[in-house]
Amino acid sequence: SRAKEAIARKDWEAARQSLQEVQKSDRRNPEAVELLQLVRQEFQRQQRSVQIGQLRSQAQNAIADEKFEEALECVDQALRLDPDDSGLVALSQTIKTQIERERKLSEALRQGYAALYAGDLGEAGLAVKAAIEIDEKHTEARALEGLIENELAERERRIQYQGLLEEARQEISSRNFLSALNHLQKAKVINPADTN
């Protein structure tokens, strides 16, 4: 009777203790064996539920720290305990999507840096644009974008500078010294440190 009352209250530990007392006196009591089986199943279900809750919490913390692989491992462990939990299935899919997003972002940044160091600013620009489309606030992508813009501006400045020097040389060859001096003054504004 005490075991049945504890089961009704869902006090599984009290029910287990009462049923174990019954079994001390009557080991083969069919009702006690059946109820003990039920209590053990409920106890396991509760433990599983607690474990799933802990794993879900660990996954949420890992997501907050942007440790998506760790979060996915926690969710996968929880899904092994309860494969039918729709919330866990949805969370797993969200994490997988985030991992794929991070992979694409990382690949775009890798391509951007490789192209920048190879001197292919057009390819670097396309790669950084792809990275920013994935995450417009990503600080590394924005920093790479700034590097590319600076390199483009520097390249343009060098081209302009070299053009002015070439025009000055042509003017000197044509003995148009005043025009040559004008080109050299413009070049000096672009690059005052150059002794040419």
Side-chain angles (χ1 to χ4, degrees):
S1 293
R2 284 198 319 267
K4 287 179 180 179
E5 288 170 10
I7 289 171
R9 294 190 314 268
K10 297 188 184 217
D11 184 352
W12 307 112
E13 182 56 28
R16 185 181 63 79
Q17 288 174 0
S18 295
L19 290 168
Q20 284 176 337
E21 284 180 39
V22 169
Q23 283 195 321
K24 284 179 188 174
S25 305
D26 184 2
R27 193 126 187 88
R28 295 180 186 210
N29 183 304
E31 190 177 10
V33 169
E34 185 181 326
L35 288 175
L36 192 56
Q37 175 84 17
L38 171 75
V39 168
R40 285 182 181 146
Q41 287 174 349
E42 273 304 313
F43 201 68
Q44 288 174 345
R45 189 191 62 74
Q46 268 189 337
Q47 285 182 320
R48 222 178 19 251
S49 180
V50 167
Q51 283 180 303
I52 289 170
Q54 289 171 341
L55 288 165
R56 189 187 307 262
S57 176
Q58 289 172 2
Q60 294 293 355
N61 290 337
I63 289 169
D65 293 338
E66 296 185 4
K67 296 177 180 174
F68 300 109
E69 295 289 342
E70 184 181 318
L72 185 59
E73 179 56 35
C74 291
V75 171
D76 285 347
Q77 285 179 31
L79 279 170
R80 283 193 287 274
L81 294 171
D82 186 2
D84 299 326
D85 187 320
S86 60
L88 287 173
V89 171
L91 184 58
S92 175
Q93 190 55 48
T94 300
I95 294 169
K96 287 176 183 173
T97 301
Q98 187 62 34
I99 288 171
E100 181 61 19
R101 181 177 174 270
E102 290 292 316
R103 188 197 62 74
K104 287 180 180 177
L105 179 63
S106 179
E107 179 60 21
L109 287 172
R110 188 197 61 72
Q111 288 176 352
Y113 281 114
L116 175 63
Y117 295 133
D120 187 350
L121 296 182
E123 185 65 29
L126 290 174
V128 81
K129 182 179 177 191
I132 289 172
E133 283 176 6
I134 293 168
D135 184 353
E136 64 183 36
K137 294 180 182 178
H138 194 271
T139 54
E140 189 177 357
R142 288 297 180 180
L144 179 57
E145 181 184 43
L147 284 173
I148 293 168
E149 288 172 358
N150 289 344
E151 187 59 34
L152 281 169
E154 179 61 27
R155 190 175 280 185
E156 179 61 33
R157 193 179 70 74
R158 282 193 306 264
I159 290 169
Q160 189 179 12
Y161 177 73
Q162 291 299 324
L164 287 167
L165 286 181
E166 188 56 38
E167 287 176 23
R169 285 188 186 102
Q170 288 174 359
E171 293 295 339
I172 290 170
S173 296
S174 302
R175 302 188 63 75
N176 293 329
F177 298 115
L178 195 55
S179 181
L181 190 59
N182 187 28
H183 290 305
L184 289 172
Q185 291 296 332
K186 289 178 185 174
K188 190 175 182 181
V189 169
I190 294 171
N191 190 356
D194 192 337
T195 57
N196 287 327

